[in-house]
PDB file of all heavy atoms in Angstrom:
ATOM      1  N   SER A 288      33.369 -12.208 -35.045  1.00  0.00           N
ATOM      2  CA  SER A 288      32.275 -12.306 -34.174  1.00  0.00           C
ATOM      3  C   SER A 288      32.717 -12.973 -32.824  1.00  0.00           C
ATOM      4  O   SER A 288      32.336 -12.627 -31.767  1.00  0.00           O
ATOM      5  CB  SER A 288      31.138 -13.020 -34.849  1.00  0.00           C
ATOM      6  OG  SER A 288      30.060 -13.198 -33.878  1.00  0.00           O
ATOM      7  N   ALA A 289      33.485 -14.064 -33.003  1.00  0.00           N
ATOM      8  CA  ALA A 289      33.869 -14.884 -31.807  1.00  0.00           C
ATOM      9  C   ALA A 289      34.782 -14.001 -30.866  1.00  0.00           C
ATOM     10  O   ALA A 289      34.736 -14.177 -29.650  1.00  0.00           O
ATOM     11  CB  ALA A 289      34.583 -16.145 -32.310  1.00  0.00           C
ATOM     12  N   ALA A 290      35.634 -13.131 -31.491  1.00  0.00           N
ATOM     13  CA  ALA A 290      36.465 -12.268 -30.726  1.00  0.00           C
ATOM     14  C   ALA A 290      35.672 -11.331 -29.849  1.00  0.00           C
ATOM     15  O   ALA A 290      35.911 -10.952 -28.776  1.00  0.00           O
ATOM     16  CB  ALA A 290      37.456 -11.560 -31.616  1.00  0.00           C
ATOM     17  N   ILE A 291      34.546 -10.823 -30.476  1.00  0.00           N
ATOM     18  CA  ILE A 291      33.761  -9.923 -29.804  1.00  0.00           C
ATOM     19  C   ILE A 291      32.975 -10.595 -28.681  1.00  0.00           C
ATOM     20  O   ILE A 291      32.758 -10.039 -27.607  1.00  0.00           O
ATOM     21  CB  ILE A 291      32.713  -9.244 -30.794  1.00  0.00           C
ATOM     22  CG1 ILE A 291      33.456  -8.371 -31.807  1.00  0.00           C
ATOM     23  CG2 ILE A 291      31.727  -8.350 -30.079  1.00  0.00           C
ATOM     24  CD1 ILE A 291      32.549  -8.028 -32.992  1.00  0.00           C
ATOM     25  N   VAL A 292      32.553 -11.820 -28.899  1.00  0.00           N
ATOM     26  CA  VAL A 292      31.937 -12.665 -27.839  1.00  0.00           C
ATOM     27  C   VAL A 292      32.868 -12.710 -26.640  1.00  0.00           C
ATOM     28  O   VAL A 292      32.417 -12.570 -25.487  1.00  0.00           O
ATOM     29  CB  VAL A 292      31.524 -14.026 -28.326  1.00  0.00           C
ATOM     30  CG1 VAL A 292      31.250 -14.933 -27.190  1.00  0.00           C
ATOM     31  CG2 VAL A 292      30.474 -14.072 -29.367  1.00  0.00           C
ATOM     32  N   ASN A 293      34.064 -12.920 -26.860  1.00  0.00           N
ATOM     33  CA  ASN A 293      35.077 -13.060 -25.793  1.00  0.00           C
ATOM     34  C   ASN A 293      35.182 -11.678 -25.061  1.00  0.00           C
ATOM     35  O   ASN A 293      35.227 -11.688 -23.770  1.00  0.00           O
ATOM     36  CB  ASN A 293      36.420 -13.483 -26.311  1.00  0.00           C
ATOM     37  CG  ASN A 293      36.460 -14.912 -26.663  1.00  0.00           C
ATOM     38  OD1 ASN A 293      35.684 -15.794 -26.198  1.00  0.00           O
ATOM     39  ND2 ASN A 293      37.310 -15.381 -27.623  1.00  0.00           N
ATOM     40  N   ARG A 294      35.237 -10.611 -25.806  1.00  0.00           N
ATOM     41  CA  ARG A 294      35.401  -9.244 -25.229  1.00  0.00           C
ATOM     42  C   ARG A 294      34.200  -8.841 -24.357  1.00  0.00           C
ATOM     43  O   ARG A 294      34.248  -8.222 -23.353  1.00  0.00           O
ATOM     44  CB  ARG A 294      35.635  -8.282 -26.387  1.00  0.00           C
ATOM     45  CG  ARG A 294      35.859  -6.797 -25.888  1.00  0.00           C
ATOM     46  CD  ARG A 294      36.519  -6.034 -26.938  1.00  0.00           C
ATOM     47  NE  ARG A 294      35.849  -5.994 -28.200  1.00  0.00           N
ATOM     48  CZ  ARG A 294      34.818  -5.330 -28.498  1.00  0.00           C
ATOM     49  NH1 ARG A 294      34.325  -4.369 -27.547  1.00  0.00           N
ATOM     50  NH2 ARG A 294      34.232  -5.297 -29.682  1.00  0.00           N
ATOM     51  N   LEU A 295      32.963  -9.283 -24.871  1.00  0.00           N
ATOM     52  CA  LEU A 295      31.831  -8.944 -24.146  1.00  0.00           C
ATOM     53  C   LEU A 295      31.386  -9.749 -22.900  1.00  0.00           C
ATOM     54  O   LEU A 295      30.395  -9.547 -22.258  1.00  0.00           O
ATOM     55  CB  LEU A 295      30.572  -8.877 -25.150  1.00  0.00           C
ATOM     56  CG  LEU A 295      30.656  -7.952 -26.247  1.00  0.00           C
ATOM     57  CD1 LEU A 295      29.400  -7.839 -27.065  1.00  0.00           C
ATOM     58  CD2 LEU A 295      31.068  -6.555 -25.777  1.00  0.00           C
ATOM     59  N   GLN A 296      32.298 -10.685 -22.552  1.00  0.00           N
ATOM     60  CA  GLN A 296      32.164 -11.391 -21.320  1.00  0.00           C
ATOM     61  C   GLN A 296      32.437 -10.502 -20.056  1.00  0.00           C
ATOM     62  O   GLN A 296      32.096 -10.847 -18.975  1.00  0.00           O
ATOM     63  CB  GLN A 296      33.032 -12.665 -21.317  1.00  0.00           C
ATOM     64  CG  GLN A 296      32.657 -13.720 -22.179  1.00  0.00           C
ATOM     65  CD  GLN A 296      33.526 -14.948 -22.151  1.00  0.00           C
ATOM     66  OE1 GLN A 296      33.479 -15.616 -21.092  1.00  0.00           O
ATOM     67  NE2 GLN A 296      34.242 -15.272 -23.142  1.00  0.00           N
ATOM     68  N   PHE A 297      33.082  -9.391 -20.382  1.00  0.00           N
ATOM     69  CA  PHE A 297      33.349  -8.511 -19.281  1.00  0.00           C
ATOM     70  C   PHE A 297      32.226  -7.464 -19.147  1.00  0.00           C
ATOM     71  O   PHE A 297      31.943  -6.754 -20.167  1.00  0.00           O
ATOM     72  CB  PHE A 297      34.745  -7.749 -19.556  1.00  0.00           C
ATOM     73  CG  PHE A 297      35.954  -8.665 -19.647  1.00  0.00           C
ATOM     74  CD1 PHE A 297      36.295  -9.273 -20.781  1.00  0.00           C
ATOM     75  CD2 PHE A 297      36.542  -9.092 -18.369  1.00  0.00           C
ATOM     76  CE1 PHE A 297      37.434 -10.062 -20.836  1.00  0.00           C
ATOM     77  CE2 PHE A 297      37.605  -9.913 -18.417  1.00  0.00           C
ATOM     78  CZ  PHE A 297      38.002 -10.496 -19.683  1.00  0.00           C
ATOM     79  N   PRO A 298      31.678  -7.294 -18.000  1.00  0.00           N
ATOM     80  CA  PRO A 298      30.405  -6.417 -17.821  1.00  0.00           C
ATOM     81  C   PRO A 298      30.663  -5.017 -18.350  1.00  0.00           C
ATOM     82  O   PRO A 298      29.773  -4.439 -19.038  1.00  0.00           O
ATOM     83  CB  PRO A 298      30.210  -6.448 -16.310  1.00  0.00           C
ATOM     84  CG  PRO A 298      30.755  -7.773 -15.885  1.00  0.00           C
ATOM     85  CD  PRO A 298      32.001  -7.985 -16.763  1.00  0.00           C
ATOM     86  N   ARG A 299      31.799  -4.358 -18.058  1.00  0.00           N
ATOM     87  CA  ARG A 299      31.992  -3.008 -18.499  1.00  0.00           C
ATOM     88  C   ARG A 299      31.867  -2.877 -20.094  1.00  0.00           C
ATOM     89  O   ARG A 299      31.302  -2.016 -20.581  1.00  0.00           O
ATOM     90  CB  ARG A 299      33.359  -2.505 -17.995  1.00  0.00           C
ATOM     91  CG  ARG A 299      33.599  -1.056 -18.415  1.00  0.00           C
ATOM     92  CD  ARG A 299      34.909  -0.527 -17.770  1.00  0.00           C
ATOM     93  NE  ARG A 299      35.187   0.844 -18.068  1.00  0.00           N
ATOM     94  CZ  ARG A 299      36.211   1.496 -17.659  1.00  0.00           C
ATOM     95  NH1 ARG A 299      37.147   0.892 -16.851  1.00  0.00           N
ATOM     96  NH2 ARG A 299      36.348   2.816 -17.906  1.00  0.00           N
ATOM     97  N   ASN A 300      32.490  -3.853 -20.726  1.00  0.00           N
ATOM     98  CA  ASN A 300      32.444  -3.901 -22.210  1.00  0.00           C
ATOM     99  C   ASN A 300      31.028  -4.107 -22.656  1.00  0.00           C
ATOM    100  O   ASN A 300      30.550  -3.430 -23.593  1.00  0.00           O
ATOM    101  CB  ASN A 300      33.392  -4.892 -22.746  1.00  0.00           C
ATOM    102  CG  ASN A 300      34.812  -4.693 -22.460  1.00  0.00           C
ATOM    103  OD1 ASN A 300      35.211  -3.550 -22.187  1.00  0.00           O
ATOM    104  ND2 ASN A 300      35.723  -5.720 -22.559  1.00  0.00           N
ATOM    105  N   PHE A 301      30.335  -5.106 -22.106  1.00  0.00           N
ATOM    106  CA  PHE A 301      29.027  -5.466 -22.609  1.00  0.00           C
ATOM    107  C   PHE A 301      28.042  -4.311 -22.384  1.00  0.00           C
ATOM    108  O   PHE A 301      27.302  -3.969 -23.352  1.00  0.00           O
ATOM    109  CB  PHE A 301      28.528  -6.749 -21.886  1.00  0.00           C
ATOM    110  CG  PHE A 301      27.062  -6.974 -22.167  1.00  0.00           C
ATOM    111  CD1 PHE A 301      26.661  -7.123 -23.494  1.00  0.00           C
ATOM    112  CD2 PHE A 301      26.127  -7.112 -21.178  1.00  0.00           C
ATOM    113  CE1 PHE A 301      25.268  -7.337 -23.770  1.00  0.00           C
ATOM    114  CE2 PHE A 301      24.764  -7.339 -21.410  1.00  0.00           C
ATOM    115  CZ  PHE A 301      24.383  -7.545 -22.752  1.00  0.00           C
ATOM    116  N   PHE A 302      27.934  -3.718 -21.221  1.00  0.00           N
ATOM    117  CA  PHE A 302      26.969  -2.707 -20.967  1.00  0.00           C
ATOM    118  C   PHE A 302      27.209  -1.504 -21.917  1.00  0.00           C
ATOM    119  O   PHE A 302      26.229  -0.814 -22.405  1.00  0.00           O
ATOM    120  CB  PHE A 302      26.948  -2.285 -19.522  1.00  0.00           C
ATOM    121  CG  PHE A 302      26.414  -3.334 -18.552  1.00  0.00           C
ATOM    122  CD1 PHE A 302      27.138  -3.638 -17.410  1.00  0.00           C
ATOM    123  CD2 PHE A 302      25.276  -3.961 -18.899  1.00  0.00           C
ATOM    124  CE1 PHE A 302      26.661  -4.638 -16.630  1.00  0.00           C
ATOM    125  CE2 PHE A 302      24.787  -4.953 -18.037  1.00  0.00           C
ATOM    126  CZ  PHE A 302      25.460  -5.299 -16.940  1.00  0.00           C
ATOM    127  N   PHE A 303      28.478  -1.161 -22.155  1.00  0.00           N
ATOM    128  CA  PHE A 303      28.738  -0.038 -22.951  1.00  0.00           C
ATOM    129  C   PHE A 303      28.391  -0.332 -24.459  1.00  0.00           C
ATOM    130  O   PHE A 303      27.676   0.442 -25.085  1.00  0.00           O
ATOM    131  CB  PHE A 303      30.292   0.330 -22.964  1.00  0.00           C
ATOM    132  CG  PHE A 303      30.698   1.323 -23.953  1.00  0.00           C
ATOM    133  CD1 PHE A 303      30.441   2.711 -23.662  1.00  0.00           C
ATOM    134  CD2 PHE A 303      31.251   1.064 -25.157  1.00  0.00           C
ATOM    135  CE1 PHE A 303      30.762   3.712 -24.600  1.00  0.00           C
ATOM    136  CE2 PHE A 303      31.617   2.036 -26.135  1.00  0.00           C
ATOM    137  CZ  PHE A 303      31.374   3.328 -25.800  1.00  0.00           C
TER     138      PHE A 303
END
Side-chain angles (χ1 to χ4, degrees):
S288 175
I291 297 170
V292 167
N293 289 333
R294 181 161 55 83
L295 296 189
Q296 290 184 65
F297 297 94
R299 183 174 181 180
N300 293 342
F301 171 55
F302 291 131
F303 175 79

